[in-house]
Amino acid sequence: MSTSAEGRKPDENLTPVRWGVLGASQFALKVSLRGMKRGPLTQLAALASRDIGKARAAAQSLGIPRAYGSYDELLDDPEIDAIYNPLPNHLHVKWTARAARAGKHVLCEKPIALSAKDAAALVDVQHETGKLIAEAFMIRNHPQWQQARDWVRSGRIGDLVSVQTAFSYFNRDATNIRNRKEVGGGALYDIGCYAVNTSRFLFGREPVRAMALIERDPEFGTDRLTSGLLDYGGAHLTFTCSTQAVAYQRVNALGTRGRIEIEIPFNAPADQPCRIFLDDGSTLDCSSARVSSFPIVDQYHLQSEAFSRAIRAGGPVENPIEVAVRNMRVIDALFRSAESGRWEKI
């Protein structure tokens, strides 16, 4: 990062953003908040749960100074500048809208809604309130994805013609929120959304139609195996996601003159370097691939710092609400296709 004339980094002149957290989910406590609290511009100031005891325990575990026994109490706190919303999927739109109308900027976990129509309502809320609203696809802040996109844009692999994505884990716990259909569980909402988002990120345009095949769990009703195909106009995304398959994730981007492989594309570890591969295809055993390693980073730290910087200094926001709506349009089309058995326009 460049420094100012006085020799100080620009961020040192910015006041930290005071964040409030809605809920005390295990994902937030164990993963995202631990990264967020590392950022000098991100000050975790308060956490709310519907159970004050749970709120206090969660806040204490992360060194968050204030705990509230209701979400409204947090939104009424005049010292809070921004809200992080990792609530269950079906609560994202409601509490993101309420937070923005309470005068807070909002970073909401994915998927930001359960339909494009509901997501679009948040565009109106952003215009009404003037507050920033973004969907938390943290991977867009990771340098491995930014490098991959730069290679695509610069023509290092020729013309990008295909993105192939696999993302899966095994979870048959009936009490787990990912297996509850009524709150937005299932593979496509939880992890298939990454395939959609990152293919749009790499292609730099929107797909025109979608096709999907879904296998539903007979007990939960959620999609436990979803495979999809997106038509980008002469180029494709093909993907498979599953909540009941061996844990695995990988992305391959195939061009006319080379390919990019991202080894750990989504759950990039915060304690070890990440690697991506650039291959000209001259050998079939991949020995021709050049390896690029990236310094250890926490993508949740990078995400919250970028959002805090946008609040304090202006500038673009990664995955703003308008981009989030377009992701939901694709997901809607995939669900429609699984029902109709045919291509669906986006």
Short mmCIF file of all heavy atoms in Angstrom, two decimals, residues 286-310:
data_model
loop_
_atom_site.label_atom_id
_atom_site.label_comp_id
_atom_site.label_asym_id
_atom_site.label_seq_id
_atom_site.Cartn_x
_atom_site.Cartn_y
_atom_site.Cartn_z
N CYS A 286 -0.12 -32.35 -15.71
CA CYS A 286 -0.08 -31.05 -15.03
C CYS A 286 1.32 -30.63 -14.58
O CYS A 286 1.46 -29.66 -13.82
CB CYS A 286 -1.02 -31.03 -13.82
SG CYS A 286 -2.74 -31.41 -14.23
N SER A 287 2.33 -31.32 -15.03
CA SER A 287 3.70 -30.93 -14.65
C SER A 287 4.09 -29.61 -15.28
O SER A 287 5.07 -28.98 -14.85
CB SER A 287 4.69 -32.03 -15.06
OG SER A 287 4.66 -32.25 -16.47
N SER A 288 3.34 -29.16 -16.27
CA SER A 288 3.63 -27.87 -16.92
C SER A 288 3.03 -26.70 -16.15
O SER A 288 3.25 -25.53 -16.51
CB SER A 288 3.09 -27.89 -18.35
OG SER A 288 1.71 -28.26 -18.37
N ALA A 289 2.27 -26.97 -15.11
CA ALA A 289 1.61 -25.90 -14.36
C ALA A 289 2.60 -25.11 -13.51
O ALA A 289 3.47 -25.69 -12.83
CB ALA A 289 0.52 -26.48 -13.47
N ARG A 290 2.48 -23.79 -13.56
CA ARG A 290 3.26 -22.91 -12.70
C ARG A 290 2.45 -22.60 -11.45
O ARG A 290 1.27 -22.27 -11.53
CB ARG A 290 3.59 -21.61 -13.44
CG ARG A 290 4.52 -21.78 -14.64
CD ARG A 290 4.65 -20.47 -15.39
NE ARG A 290 4.92 -19.35 -14.50
CZ ARG A 290 4.78 -18.07 -14.85
NH1 ARG A 290 4.32 -17.76 -16.06
NH2 ARG A 290 5.06 -17.11 -14.00
N VAL A 291 3.11 -22.72 -10.30
CA VAL A 291 2.42 -22.53 -9.03
C VAL A 291 2.65 -21.11 -8.52
O VAL A 291 3.79 -20.63 -8.50
CB VAL A 291 2.92 -23.54 -7.98
CG1 VAL A 291 2.15 -23.35 -6.67
CG2 VAL A 291 2.78 -24.96 -8.49
N SER A 292 1.57 -20.46 -8.11
CA SER A 292 1.66 -19.16 -7.44
C SER A 292 1.14 -19.33 -6.02
O SER A 292 0.02 -19.81 -5.81
CB SER A 292 0.83 -18.10 -8.17
OG SER A 292 1.38 -17.79 -9.43
N SER A 293 1.98 -18.96 -5.04
CA SER A 293 1.58 -19.02 -3.64
C SER A 293 1.36 -17.61 -3.13
O SER A 293 2.05 -16.67 -3.55
CB SER A 293 2.64 -19.71 -2.79
OG SER A 293 2.75 -21.07 -3.15
N PHE A 294 0.41 -17.46 -2.22
CA PHE A 294 0.07 -16.15 -1.68
C PHE A 294 0.37 -16.11 -0.19
O PHE A 294 0.22 -17.11 0.51
CB PHE A 294 -1.41 -15.85 -1.93
CG PHE A 294 -1.75 -15.79 -3.39
CD1 PHE A 294 -2.08 -16.94 -4.09
CD2 PHE A 294 -1.70 -14.59 -4.07
CE1 PHE A 294 -2.38 -16.90 -5.44
CE2 PHE A 294 -1.99 -14.53 -5.42
CZ PHE A 294 -2.33 -15.69 -6.12
N PRO A 295 0.81 -14.97 0.31
CA PRO A 295 1.06 -14.85 1.74
C PRO A 295 -0.19 -15.18 2.54
O PRO A 295 -1.32 -15.08 2.04
CB PRO A 295 1.44 -13.37 1.91
CG PRO A 295 1.89 -12.93 0.56
CD PRO A 295 1.08 -13.72 -0.42
N ILE A 296 -0.01 -15.59 3.77
CA ILE A 296 -1.13 -15.94 4.63
C ILE A 296 -1.99 -14.71 4.88
O ILE A 296 -1.50 -13.66 5.31
CB ILE A 296 -0.63 -16.51 5.97
CG1 ILE A 296 0.12 -17.82 5.73
CG2 ILE A 296 -1.78 -16.73 6.93
CD1 ILE A 296 0.79 -18.37 6.96
N VAL A 297 -3.28 -14.82 4.57
CA VAL A 297 -4.23 -13.74 4.81
C VAL A 297 -5.52 -14.36 5.35
O VAL A 297 -5.77 -15.55 5.19
CB VAL A 297 -4.56 -12.92 3.54
CG1 VAL A 297 -3.32 -12.21 3.02
CG2 VAL A 297 -5.16 -13.81 2.46
N ASP A 298 -6.33 -13.55 5.99
CA ASP A 298 -7.66 -13.96 6.42
C ASP A 298 -8.66 -13.19 5.57
O ASP A 298 -8.74 -11.96 5.64
CB ASP A 298 -7.87 -13.65 7.90
CG ASP A 298 -9.17 -14.22 8.44
OD1 ASP A 298 -10.23 -13.92 7.84
OD2 ASP A 298 -9.15 -14.93 9.45
N GLN A 299 -9.42 -13.91 4.75
CA GLN A 299 -10.31 -13.23 3.80
C GLN A 299 -11.46 -12.50 4.49
O GLN A 299 -11.98 -11.52 3.95
CB GLN A 299 -10.83 -14.21 2.76
CG GLN A 299 -11.56 -15.41 3.30
CD GLN A 299 -11.82 -16.45 2.20
OE1 GLN A 299 -11.67 -16.19 1.00
NE2 GLN A 299 -12.23 -17.63 2.61
N TYR A 300 -11.82 -12.92 5.69
CA TYR A 300 -12.86 -12.19 6.43
C TYR A 300 -12.31 -10.87 6.97
O TYR A 300 -13.02 -9.86 7.03
CB TYR A 300 -13.40 -13.06 7.57
CG TYR A 300 -14.11 -14.28 7.05
CD1 TYR A 300 -13.44 -15.50 6.97
CD2 TYR A 300 -15.42 -14.22 6.60
CE1 TYR A 300 -14.07 -16.63 6.48
CE2 TYR A 300 -16.06 -15.34 6.10
CZ TYR A 300 -15.38 -16.55 6.04
OH TYR A 300 -16.01 -17.66 5.53
N HIS A 301 -11.04 -10.87 7.34
CA HIS A 301 -10.37 -9.63 7.74
C HIS A 301 -10.32 -8.66 6.56
O HIS A 301 -10.66 -7.48 6.69
CB HIS A 301 -8.96 -9.97 8.24
CG HIS A 301 -7.99 -8.84 8.19
ND1 HIS A 301 -6.77 -8.95 7.56
CD2 HIS A 301 -8.05 -7.58 8.66
CE1 HIS A 301 -6.13 -7.79 7.66
NE2 HIS A 301 -6.88 -6.95 8.32
N LEU A 302 -9.90 -9.17 5.39
CA LEU A 302 -9.81 -8.32 4.21
C LEU A 302 -11.17 -7.76 3.83
O LEU A 302 -11.30 -6.59 3.43
CB LEU A 302 -9.22 -9.11 3.05
CG LEU A 302 -7.78 -9.62 3.22
CD1 LEU A 302 -7.37 -10.45 2.01
CD2 LEU A 302 -6.82 -8.46 3.42
N GLN A 303 -12.20 -8.59 3.94
CA GLN A 303 -13.55 -8.16 3.57
C GLN A 303 -14.06 -7.04 4.47
O GLN A 303 -14.57 -6.02 3.99
CB GLN A 303 -14.50 -9.36 3.65
CG GLN A 303 -15.95 -9.03 3.41
CD GLN A 303 -16.83 -10.26 3.53
OE1 GLN A 303 -17.37 -10.74 2.54
NE2 GLN A 303 -16.98 -10.79 4.73
N SER A 304 -13.96 -7.22 5.78
CA SER A 304 -14.48 -6.21 6.70
C SER A 304 -13.67 -4.92 6.63
O SER A 304 -14.22 -3.82 6.75
CB SER A 304 -14.51 -6.73 8.14
OG SER A 304 -13.22 -7.05 8.61
N GLU A 305 -12.36 -5.04 6.42
CA GLU A 305 -11.54 -3.84 6.27
C GLU A 305 -11.92 -3.07 5.02
O GLU A 305 -11.99 -1.83 5.04
CB GLU A 305 -10.06 -4.22 6.23
CG GLU A 305 -9.48 -4.63 7.57
CD GLU A 305 -9.46 -3.50 8.58
OE1 GLU A 305 -8.53 -2.69 8.55
OE2 GLU A 305 -10.41 -3.42 9.39
N ALA A 306 -12.17 -3.78 3.93
CA ALA A 306 -12.56 -3.09 2.69
C ALA A 306 -13.91 -2.39 2.85
O ALA A 306 -14.10 -1.27 2.38
CB ALA A 306 -12.62 -4.10 1.54
N PHE A 307 -14.85 -3.05 3.54
CA PHE A 307 -16.16 -2.45 3.76
C PHE A 307 -16.04 -1.24 4.69
O PHE A 307 -16.66 -0.19 4.46
CB PHE A 307 -17.12 -3.49 4.33
CG PHE A 307 -18.57 -3.09 4.27
CD1 PHE A 307 -19.27 -3.14 3.08
CD2 PHE A 307 -19.23 -2.66 5.40
CE1 PHE A 307 -20.61 -2.78 3.01
CE2 PHE A 307 -20.58 -2.30 5.35
CZ PHE A 307 -21.26 -2.36 4.15
N SER A 308 -15.24 -1.38 5.74
CA SER A 308 -15.03 -0.26 6.66
C SER A 308 -14.37 0.92 5.93
O SER A 308 -14.74 2.08 6.16
CB SER A 308 -14.14 -0.70 7.84
OG SER A 308 -14.79 -1.65 8.65
N ARG A 309 -13.44 0.62 5.06
CA ARG A 309 -12.76 1.68 4.31
C ARG A 309 -13.75 2.39 3.38
O ARG A 309 -13.69 3.62 3.22
CB ARG A 309 -11.61 1.08 3.51
CG ARG A 309 -10.64 2.09 2.91
CD ARG A 309 -9.46 1.40 2.27
NE ARG A 309 -8.73 0.59 3.23
CZ ARG A 309 -8.68 -0.74 3.21
NH1 ARG A 309 -9.31 -1.40 2.25
NH2 ARG A 309 -8.00 -1.39 4.13
N ALA A 310 -14.64 1.63 2.78
CA ALA A 310 -15.65 2.24 1.91
C ALA A 310 -16.58 3.16 2.70
O ALA A 310 -16.99 4.21 2.21
CB ALA A 310 -16.46 1.15 1.21
#
